[in-house]
């Protein structure tokens, strides 16, 4: 099961936010992350982790359906690295089960 934007908004609503304000906050939060990454900057969230951009070079590949060789184009991808606090929390939650 995955956590969705709607579930995040519902958590804010449960904590006393108005429904529209919670949805707007979640949307603006993720839009700001997208805009920052699109401009080429990193996003660092203390206690959570870092979103960085990595340039991938063009490389040879193949179509698994036909076996035909194709070139996979160069592209920029987003990489997330969890911070130490997040890794510790996830590790301790996993060990307590």
């Amino acid at each position: 099961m995955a956590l969705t934007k709607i579930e995040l908004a519902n958590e804010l609503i449960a904590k006393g936010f108005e429904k529209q304000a919670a949805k707007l906050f979640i949307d603006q939060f993720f839009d700001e992350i997208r805009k920052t990454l699109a401009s080429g900057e990193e996003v660092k969230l203390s206690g959570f982790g870092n979103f960085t951009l990595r340039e991938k070079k063009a490389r040879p590949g193949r179509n698994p359906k036909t076996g035909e060789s194709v070139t996979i184009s160069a592209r920029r991808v987003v990489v997330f690295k969890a911070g130490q606090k997040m890794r510790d929390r996830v590790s301790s939650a996993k060990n307590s089960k």
Side-chain angles (χ1 to χ4, degrees):
M1 187 172 179
L3 179 65
T4 64
K5 286 173 37 175
I6 292 171
E7 290 169 340
L8 286 172
N10 287 338
E11 286 296 320
L12 291 176
I13 293 165
K15 293 191 182 346
F17 282 76
E18 293 180 13
K19 186 175 184 176
Q20 291 293 17
K23 288 181 179 180
L24 183 62
F25 176 80
I26 297 296
D27 286 340
Q28 287 180 340
F29 177 77
F30 287 110
D31 282 344
E32 193 61 35
I33 291 174
R34 275 191 284 276
K35 288 177 193 173
T36 302
L37 290 169
S39 72
E41 296 179 60
E42 295 181 355
V43 175
K44 297 182 178 192
L45 301 172
S46 180
F48 187 72
N50 301 327
F51 294 92
T52 57
L53 295 170
R54 182 176 295 159
E55 299 290 332
K56 288 194 151 191
K57 296 179 182 178
R59 58 189 169 89
R62 70 176 188 86
N63 181 332
K65 198 171 196 178
T66 64
E68 177 185 356
S69 292
V70 294
T71 300
I72 300 171
S73 60
R75 62 193 185 279
R76 192 166 62 169
V77 296
V78 177
V79 179
F80 175 75
K81 183 174 180 187
Q84 187 62 47
K85 286 182 184 178
M86 174 63 80
R87 289 193 300 264
D88 291 344
R89 288 179 187 155
V90 170
S91 178
S92 65
K94 188 176 183 182
N95 292 335
S96 66
K97 287 185 179 180

